[in-house]
């Protein structure tokens, strides 16, 4: 077959795939929706903090069916779904509800590259909401619970030689009928609650590895000692196996050390370059697994030299510090939702866009609200220079959103099963995201949603990762635990409580609404704490709040979070419309006042 014929065949197949799929529904969409290619869906490497050279993306059109809970595998399927978009989303090509009484089944086939012979094959799922069971060639190989963390299986024993491999996935997600972490998903979305997300919503992929292979990396910077601690977990390791770590400043190798597998390496750096939102410098690394003088596995990674801490200032106020200097953190509440993909951004460019716009607004931080993002999002934050407060997705009993009477110190009495689910998933999230330097604060609870055993959970969180600050409950029931007292006040800022022993922050405020016709998820009953009619009015109100905030920074606030990055479904209080097509404020004016707010505390450190 000549080159021209090959190109024509490829073009024909691509058109055929497109003909079998199209976005569903008549809701608004982002500009990136039209760039989604079923033959090349989210093609970027999904785990940039631990990258291997060989891998294969399994995203694309799979067969699917929705059937009653507890039935055996379907003999035929309802149609095709575009993985990894949740079945309720437009971009899935399905846009159907599932619920606790149903199960979602997937089926696809894939091949193993011939040059992978003799290697073990790992099957990776970026995230699947919520309970997942997996079959390879009609053999059940494993299961996983949790909607926000990756999981993988070594499928080597189940691969058939020379044939296409059959992959079947079954998912059950009870949405708000269950106690599991789910963030803002509800069956009947209204107000501040959004459409459910069921099934695969992050990239599915395979990669070849040696029998002995690196499974995880844990990097911990210590700027006070000019050192970086790196620990590699290895599958199949034996006595005498070694880990070698090379550190690069750009292309220049500046350090190289070896240790036996299982030992942490503490590498001292001469005059290390510190990471900050103003200068987000990343050191590149190469980690090699050496067995009998032979490199059997190798991954690329990176780290940053930065420190997050708190310290009393000259006025006796506890302040957040970045790299041992008082540093005011200011950013938007970021829900991470998309009108076309729900939990899943249509493209990697879209995923990065909101972070770029956040920087354009003059912010230095994002509070990732009751959701965990794909790993590429955190790498974008690392590279662009944005601090991240990472919420635990809330679950179990959550109060009616209009009712704020739950701020009374009363904790939820969860069942033992519900507690176990929470603890398992929170630990997995923290372990999964540990090495991303942009993350500086863990937030176990939000506004008393599912809040239980606050002191125990907060102290456990702090002990599990003492390298970051712990914000026990953002705007929820307050207990004397953790590093931060977090207040919520809408619409304008208010310093109505103060903690002399902990950092005091304004974890949410704002919510200035501006509904723009042609860019709305729904025609009426849109939500904002206050509403205005045009960009100039909204911008003026934002600046008024920011001027008030400046005074509270001097009085005691060390951080603030404005609601929010974009409109989301019925909420119209974003800096941008939900489809990201319109900036609803004057970004230059917002940048100017945001810089002034930050500089109240930070200018003395410049």
């Amino acid at each position: 077959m000549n080159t021209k014929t090959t190109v024509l065949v490829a073009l024909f197949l691509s058109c055929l795939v497109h003909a079998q799929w199209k976005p569903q529904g008549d809701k608004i969409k982002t500009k990136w929706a039209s760039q989604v290619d079923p033959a090349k869906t989210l093609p970027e490497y999904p785990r940039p903090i631990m990258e291997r050279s060989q891998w294969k993306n399994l995203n694309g059109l799979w067969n699917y069916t929705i059937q009653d809970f507890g039935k055996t595998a379907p003999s035929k399927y309802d149609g095709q779904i575009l993985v990894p978009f949740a079945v309720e989303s437009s971009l899935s090509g399905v846009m159907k509800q599932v619920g606790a009484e149903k199960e979602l089944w997937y089926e696809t086939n894939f091949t193993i590259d011939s040059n992978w012979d003799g290697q073990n094959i790992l099957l990776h799922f970026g995230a699947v909401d919520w309970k997942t069971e997996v079959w390879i060639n009609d053999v059940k190989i494993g299961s996983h619970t949790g909607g926000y963390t990756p999981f993988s299986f070594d499928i080597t024993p189940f691969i058939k030689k020379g044939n296409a491999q059959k992959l079947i996935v079954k998912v059950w997600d009870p949405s708000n009928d269950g106690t599991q972490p789910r963030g803002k998903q509800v069956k009947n979305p209204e107000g501040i609650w959004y459409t459910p997300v069921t099934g695969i919503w992050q990239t599915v992929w395979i990669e070849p590895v040696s029998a002995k292979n690196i499974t995880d990396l844990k990097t911990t910077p210590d700027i006070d000692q000019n050192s970086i601690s790196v620990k590699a977990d290895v599958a199949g390791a034996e006595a005498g196996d070694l880990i070698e770590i090379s550190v690069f400043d750009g292309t220049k190798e500046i350090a190289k050390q070896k240790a036996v597998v299982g030992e942490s390496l503490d590498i001292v750096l001469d005059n290390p370059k510190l990471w900050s939102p103003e200068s987000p410098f990343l050191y590149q690394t190469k980690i090699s697994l050496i067995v009998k003088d032979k490199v059997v596995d190798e991954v690329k990674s990176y780290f940053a030299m930065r420190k997050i801490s708190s310290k009393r200032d000259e006025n006796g106020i506890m302040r957040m510090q970045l790299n041992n200097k008082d540093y005011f953190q200011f950013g938007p509440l970021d829900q991470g939702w998309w009108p076309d993909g729900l939990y899943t951004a249509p493209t990697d460019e879209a995923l990065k866009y909101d972070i770029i716009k956040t920087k354009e607004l003059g912010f230095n931080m994002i509070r990732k609200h009751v959701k965990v993002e794909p790993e590429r999002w955190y790498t974008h934050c690392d590279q662009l220079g944005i601090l991240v407060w990472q919420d635990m997705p809330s679950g179990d009993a959550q109060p009616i959103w209009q009712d704020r009477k739950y701020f009374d110190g009363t904790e939820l009495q969860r069942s033992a099963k519900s507690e176990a689910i929470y603890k398992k998933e929170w630990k997995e999230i923290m372990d999964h995201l540990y090495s991303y330097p942009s993350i500086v604060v863990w937030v176990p609870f939000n506004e008393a949603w599912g809040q239980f055993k606050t002191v125990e959970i907060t102290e456990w969180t702090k002990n599990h990762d003492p390298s970051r600050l712990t914000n026990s409950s953002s705007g929820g029931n307050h207990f004397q635990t953790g590093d931060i007292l977090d207040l919520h006040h809408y619409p304008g800022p208010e310093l109505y409580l103060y903690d002399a022993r902990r950092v005091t922050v304004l974890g949410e405020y704002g919510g200035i609404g501006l509904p723009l016709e042609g860019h709305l998820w729904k025609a009426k009953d849109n939500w904002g704490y206050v509403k205005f009619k045009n960009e100039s009015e909204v911008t003026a109100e934002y600046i008024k709040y920011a001027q008030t905030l400046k005074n509270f920074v001097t009085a005691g606030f060390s951080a603030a979070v404005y609601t929010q990055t974009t409109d989301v479904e019925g909420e119209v209080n974003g800096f941008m419309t939900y489809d990201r097509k319109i900036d609803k404020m004057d970004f230059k004016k917002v940048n100017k006042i945001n810089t002034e707010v930050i500089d109240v505390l930070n200018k003395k450190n410049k």
Side-chain angles (χ1 to χ4, degrees), residues 344-566:
T344 310
T347 68
D348 191 62
E349 181 188 3
L351 187 68
K352 188 176 180 179
Y353 182 80
D354 286 359
I355 307 168
I356 292 170
K357 297 296 281 188
T358 299
K359 294 281 286 190
E360 187 181 319
L361 285 159
F363 290 121
N364 58 23
M365 174 263 279
I366 288 170
R367 180 178 167 207
K368 180 49 62 176
H369 193 39
V370 294
K371 184 201 176 191
V372 177
E373 291 290 354
E375 292 185 70
R376 292 191 62 84
W377 186 85
Y378 297 95
T379 292
H380 290 319
C381 289
D382 295 341
Q383 293 171 340
L384 293 169
I386 278 283
L387 301 167
V388 175
W389 294 13
Q390 180 60 56
D391 286 11
M392 169 62 176
S394 49
D396 208 313
Q398 300 187 171
I400 298 171
W401 62 275
Q402 299 98 329
D403 180 9
R404 299 210 171 253
K405 295 177 183 177
Y406 53 82
F407 297 102
D408 60 359
T410 302
E411 296 183 288
L412 179 66
Q413 298 297 309
R414 290 200 186 204
S415 68
K417 182 179 179 182
S418 174
E419 286 191 15
I421 289 171
Y422 174 97
K423 291 174 181 176
K424 171 187 177 289
E425 296 196 20
W426 185 220
K427 179 182 183 298
E428 287 181 354
I429 288 167
M430 287 192 291
D431 288 344
H432 165 50
L433 298 176
Y434 180 89
S435 293
Y436 289 94
S438 52
I439 299 174
V440 292
V441 174
W442 296 121
V443 188
F445 299 111
N446 174 72
E447 289 191 347
W449 300 353
Q451 187 176 346
F452 75 104
K453 295 183 177 178
T454 309
V455 173
E456 176 188 324
I457 295 297
T458 302
E459 292 181 357
W460 179 83
T461 300
K462 187 66 181 172
N463 290 333
H464 191 65
D465 182 8
S467 73
R468 292 180 169 93
L469 300 181
T470 300
N471 182 359
S472 62
S473 182
S474 183
N477 291 314
H478 302 305
F479 294 82
Q480 286 286 339
T481 185
D483 302 298
I484 297 168
L485 169 67
D486 184 320
L487 312 179
H488 290 188
H489 191 270
Y490 287 99
E494 190 64 56
L495 180 57
Y496 57 88
L497 285 176
Y498 171 75
D499 194 324
R501 290 177 288 180
R502 295 181 295 168
V503 172
T504 303
V505 307
L506 182 61
E508 290 183 31
Y509 81 100
I512 303 169
L514 174 61
L516 290 179
E517 193 172 342
H519 302 276
L520 297 173
W521 177 260
K522 55 188 209 176
K524 58 182 181 177
D525 299 324
N526 289 293
W527 166 258
Y529 286 91
V530 288
K531 288 186 186 178
F532 291 88
K533 296 179 180 178
N534 56 53
E535 177 193 294
S536 60
E537 289 182 357
V538 173
T539 302
E541 191 75 358
Y542 180 87
I543 291 171
K544 184 178 81 172
Y545 292 169
Q547 293 287 5
T548 302
L549 180 60
K550 283 170 65 175
N551 296 326
F552 289 136
V553 174
T554 304
F557 277 141
S558 289
V561 178
Y562 178 84
T563 302
Q564 60 189 351
T565 308
T566 72

Side-chain angles (χ1 to χ4, degrees), residues 165-179:
Q165 315 299 322
K166 183 165 75 169
L167 169 60
I168 292 177
V169 178
K170 179 176 76 170
V171 182
W172 176 69
D173 178 19
S175 189
N176 57 307
D177 286 333
T179 62

